């Protein structure tokens, strides 16, 4: 097993592919990837279309689209509007609007831990219509989807698997699509709070701050699942490991006799990651690395994602209508 | 239909009975009520045991026990401990500990509206065990119930009836008891945040701040339901109506010719309430009357109720154990 | 003393004038008032220019401008933008931009009581520049004011008069203008969270939810004070009193013999208010009447007011610049 | 300059001394240190009594007392009570009760960044008496200090140095003692949220999460300053550096030829720290490492510290009294 196919500490397909590239496995069968830039926003399409690609990246087969700009972290209203637009467009393509008539939105994560609270915060801003569809004016009713939304909480607080809660609700209200929002973990600092990943391959709650749980996808829930995620943390072991890579490179560059550092560098990545992780445990087991301004950024991201969802799932409403209803 | 059996603006059986008493219907068939005082706490038992009693009070058949002291609103640790003890004792009797082995706790209400956030706040402090029962030491496992907890949100945010969400989850995890916590509406200012009502007759989510919804009880959910509620608001029309009663009494007392006030007073209570309500609508429709210190008091009440539940449902654990686990 | 000059339960000059009008004292010397409507927003100018006007309204001499629309309570981005623009324009006229070079913003009120937290929430969104003025690009520095901002807290939490704290800070940093933001009390339900009042006559912290304290004005602080306020609550006694007025009118209209109601109505307003207040005390002393959606509306109002202040005090920056800096 | 006297990444005198010990400078003149254990709590006294000691540790001359137990992070009420008692006892000795009659408490830090919000949260729970001293019963008045409390905010939000705000308030209300609470940075993960340091040597606001500012001490403010701090974060560079130390030790232990690792280890600590810091900047500049449960732990620490302060500054009141007043 290649070290790259094992234990890649990222929820972003984008980063999983980058790791492959650095290992010159770039032309691997089973993965397609392309990037374009629009209004200063980088949009990356990754498609994993067979088991080979899935194994190499550690990600399920499916489409992964990221909308990325470090400017999301700032407070520029124009950037915000552009990101909402790109995110809504991407979602629309994944959702194929007007095909799904009954949509359930699930905001995963722990609302009491700021970097994990993105999902619940998005849910609070969704334009739900399931309970008022009968009362909407006929002229717009036709094209408005029936939308419900739930923040199921995390297993540490509920004692119940997120998948069990959602599956119970799905059996009651019979949606034909689930859109799940969750905080993710990234490998690179520079991606924290600056990437929105959307995919049609399902989601494993708690990949970011929490622990891996039962995957939510068509197989487990019986309906298609669109996942939306933003990396909000980097785990402590990843931080140390990546910094060590850079340190060794710097040291080797500065040293006459490079053999020492080359040898050190030659230690298998996975072996080193495990060593670091063991050393940091138990001290750092429950630690995460997050930016100071996390509270404000999570609020803004919740605004962006909820707006994009509202636009994508209610194509008959314009943004002004939506704001009037929420 | 007597005016008393119609539209009584209270969720407290205690207050529904008081209204009857003032109308001298005190010896009505179908209701038993008694009060005792312990450590400065007033404990009132009301039992409504047939349809006559139910009609007179507007409450379903069942037991209603209130633990009441205005001192809950303060911050005295001794009072808090006493209230926790009485509440836990009362719950234990209603729950009949060790009979139920799988308990679901539901914190009803809207976490984004402070006086309606009691339920979700209690849930966050419940000692859930369902997901870790296998890992508990054998010595204590035997007597520890499997407990799960959920804050399902309100229909305005989820688009789904609370009853549908709970019923979906119940079918998945098969608990044998539901304990539901909700904020209530009281008729009297003096009772706001100073009474904890427990009953075995089910609950209608949103009686307090929200609107009436599908009742949660054995009939609708298939399992027994223990309801725990605290009145956290008084509605604006009730406030005006009750104050007018007092004003008329004062005016009559101060006036030589009482006939005017007696006539005014003679207007049917219900007619007057309806008049007031109409006048206040639409201005006051979404208004509520609540004390300034509501944020702090709701936190304390959530502490008290979650502690009492933890003690009552985990009889094998002492309070110290519980604090270590939460 | 006329009943109107005593104990008018409103912080809005607008409402104080309305009360006069109903008493047909409309042409009183010392008060000028005019109203215009722009983009669905009602803008009312009240000027109280001598002691007669001040006594009649219970307000200090000065200009009082209100920007009013019930739509502020909704979530329409166009309305929000219009209200920000009108508020910024009004503030600009009161502030006379570029005259003041060192501005202190004070967000009054208790951040732990939602309807009283407007001031602290505005302060968190102000573009403060005092500490970074040296680092701004020269091209914009010239026209950017030095701005500092403080949320001094309330006396119940600090043990210090707000006036003392501000006066101590003013002596240290020597601003030439204070802008103070506070929650107010209104007389009418319909005005809650739908009016922004700006005035140049100073402010008494705690008029809304708290108790009256030392006035903040040029006399007490040595620098001009612009006050910005929004009524966020109605007190319980006002609610009852105003509802009774309407009830009596309805009853009289419906009755053949109007004499009873006319007599009841003839009881002096102040006498009745005092009676009501006495009856409600102590139950309602610490109660207030507020809308359910108060948390969300206060956030929106803080956004509107902070934006308007940022635009008015930094005339050299456009809204885009401001958002990039905050 | 020794590497130890430069740039030690800790606010804890305890850790500064440990670094010295590892360097065998243990018998340095100018520092005394002793440790005792009581009820599972480790209490360490460090006294730095001259310039030599101050240079070696990078800390000002003064007494530094730490109350330490990892159990603070848990939720055991007995542990909480013990920590409150030890903290109150330590404070009492530093404060010399009954000597100071007018005390100002300052909660430093940014309330909008959870790990930096300890100070403002403590202030909200202090029993302030300055504004009600006249109204206290005579029997207790004599021994109750006049206490005021303020959360001055951080310079990024106020535009004003914390020292300027406090100095302005001190000139107005003339306290004879300042007690300042702030979040700190630690060097070791294991100390996060498990140590309370008290000292009489003043404090530099923003040492923890923010940036170093004007020191608050007797020299700058004119009155004695007691500082209370808890390390709530570790900076990213410290995390990497310390982990690398452990990695190198492990690698050397596991390797036959130790020369490589010994050489790597021999790189000066400061040189390596600087290298790491440079590599992490700008990515990690605004990042911090903090535990998941930070919200709940900060609440508990605020409870503990406010209780300890209330007991230490109001020796005439027992804990029950204090709870009744707050």
């Amino acid at each position: 097993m290649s070290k790259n196919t094992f234990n890649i500490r990222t929820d972003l397909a984008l980063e999983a592919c980058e790791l492959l590239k650095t290992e010159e496995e770039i032309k691997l069968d089973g993965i397609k990837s392309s990037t374009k830039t629009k209004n200063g926003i980088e949009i990356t399409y990754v498609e994993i279309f067979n088991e080979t690609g899935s194994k190499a990246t550690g990600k399920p087969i499916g489409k992964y689209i990221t909308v990325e700009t470090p400017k999301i972290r700032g407070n520029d209203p124009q950037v915000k509007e552009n990101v909402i637009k790109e995110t809504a467009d991407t979602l629309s393509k994944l959702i194929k609007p007007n095909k799904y008539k009954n949509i359930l939105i699930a905001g995963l994560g722990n609302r009491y831990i700021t970097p994990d609270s993105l999902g619940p915060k998005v849910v609070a801003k969704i334009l739900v219509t399931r309970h008022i569809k009968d009362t909407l004016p006929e002229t717009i009713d036709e094209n408005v989807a029936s939308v419900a939304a739930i923040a199921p909480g995390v297993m540490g607080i509920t004692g119940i698997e997120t998948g069990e809660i959602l599956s119970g609700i799905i059996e009651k209200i019979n949606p034909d699509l689930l859109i799940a929002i969750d905080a993710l973990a990234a490998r690179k600092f520079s991606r924290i709070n600056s990437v929105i990943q959307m995919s049609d391959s399902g989601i494993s709650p708690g990949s970011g701050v929490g622990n891996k749980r039962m995957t939510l996808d068509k197989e487990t829930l019986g309906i298609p699942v669109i996942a939306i995620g933003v990396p909000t943390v980097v785990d402590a072991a990843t931080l140390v490991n990546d910094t060590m890579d850079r340190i060794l490179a710097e040291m080797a560059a500065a040293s006459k006799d490079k053999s020492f550092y080359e040898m050190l560098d030659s230690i298998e990545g996975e072996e080193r990651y495990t060593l670091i992780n063991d050393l940091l445990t138990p001290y750092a087991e429950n630690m995460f690395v997050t930016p100071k301004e996390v509270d404000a950024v999570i609020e803004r991201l919740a605004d962006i994602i909820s707006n994009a969802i509202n636009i994508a799932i209610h194509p008959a409403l314009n943004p002004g209508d939506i704001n009037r209803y929420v």
Side-chain angles (χ1 to χ4, degrees), chain A:
Chain A
M1 187 189 293
S2 136
K3 66 178 167 178
N4 296 304
T5 63
F6 182 73
N7 227 337
I8 293 168
R9 307 285 142 174
T10 176
D11 293 313
L12 296 176
L14 170 66
E15 290 191 335
C17 288
E18 281 177 349
L19 288 170
L20 295 177
K21 283 176 191 168
T22 63
E23 301 295 323
E24 300 187 1
E25 294 163 299
I26 193 162
K27 290 186 182 179
L28 207 106
D29 277 344
I31 303 172
K32 270 196 294 198
S33 139
S34 66
T35 297
K36 65 175 184 182
T37 302
K38 210 170 139 183
N39 291 323
I41 298 168
E42 201 166 293
I43 299 161
T44 304
Y45 296 82
V46 172
E47 187 164 356
I48 298 171
F49 50 86
N50 65 23
E51 278 305 317
T52 319
S54 177
K55 263 196 185 157
T57 55
K59 305 284 155 217
I61 291 170
K63 290 176 202 150
Y64 299 82
I65 308 164
T66 47
V67 168
E68 175 172 12
T69 167
K71 289 185 191 157
I72 304 180
R73 289 196 293 241
N75 195 19
D76 189 319
Q78 190 56 54
V79 169
K80 191 173 167 180
E81 207 173 287
N82 291 343
V83 174
I84 290 172
K85 198 187 166 313
E86 286 310 318
T87 306
D89 282 358
T90 303
L91 273 178
S92 298
K93 280 169 208 154
L94 282 172
I95 293 173
K96 297 181 200 80
N98 293 322
K99 184 174 157 194
Y100 299 111
K101 282 300 192 190
N102 293 288
I103 302 176
L104 176 62
I105 318 279
L108 311 183
N110 185 340
R111 67 177 73 243
Y112 301 109
I113 296 177
T114 308
D116 202 29
S117 65
L118 180 65
K121 287 203 168 113
V122 168
V123 158
K125 295 170 186 232
I126 290 295
L127 172 54
V128 297
T129 52
R130 184 175 172 275
H131 60 311
I132 50 160
K133 267 217 75 174
D134 302 341
T135 68
L136 288 180
E138 254 183 65
T139 49
I140 63 165
D141 174 62
E142 195 57 18
N143 288 305
V144 173
S146 166
V147 175
I150 187 98
V154 294
M155 204 161 85
I157 284 178
T158 61
I160 318 173
E161 276 264 10
T162 300
E164 287 179 295
I165 295 174
L166 292 180
S167 156
I169 294 169
I170 286 166
E171 282 170 29
K172 282 286 151 193
I173 70 171
N174 292 312
D176 43 26
L177 176 69
L178 176 72
I179 301 177
I181 303 100
D182 202 3
L184 307 176
R187 191 181 177 77
K188 285 195 185 166
F189 261 171
S190 55
R191 291 221 166 84
I192 291 188
N193 298 328
S194 69
V195 178
I196 299 169
Q197 173 174 277
M198 287 152 276
S199 91
D200 61 4
S201 72
I203 193 164
S204 297
S207 335
V209 175
N211 300 309
K212 295 259 175 201
R213 302 287 173 206
M214 168 185 140
T215 297
L216 308 178
D217 59 16
K218 185 158 189 176
E219 200 178 325
T220 56
L221 296 178
I223 54 172
V225 176
I226 302 285
I228 305 177
V230 175
T232 62
V233 293
V234 162
D235 80 70
T238 298
L239 164 66
V240 174
N241 198 35
D242 287 5
T243 313
M244 274 198 66
D245 279 344
R246 291 189 217 155
I247 291 167
L248 292 170
E250 291 274 324
M251 283 177 172
S255 160
K256 279 171 215 155
D257 181 353
K258 296 189 193 326
S259 61
F260 303 147
Y261 305 103
E262 282 160 5
M263 218 196 73
L264 193 61
D265 192 33
S266 73
I267 300 168
E268 278 289 312
E270 185 55 27
E271 185 188 331
R272 201 172 62 200
Y273 182 89
T274 305
L275 173 63
I276 292 171
N277 211 28
D278 289 354
L279 284 167
L280 284 174
T281 306
Y283 308 114
E285 207 176 15
N286 285 309
M287 300 279 165
F288 56 78
V289 186
T290 199
K292 277 186 204 174
E293 73 280 9
V294 61
D295 299 73
V297 180
I298 295 285
E299 286 297 334
R300 271 202 289 276
L301 283 164
D303 245 17
I304 288 171
I305 293 172
S306 58
N307 263 290
I309 293 175
N310 286 335
I311 292 166
I313 62 183
H314 297 298
L317 299 182
N318 61 46
D321 292 331
I322 288 172
N323 271 291
R324 267 184 287 278
Y325 279 98
V326 171

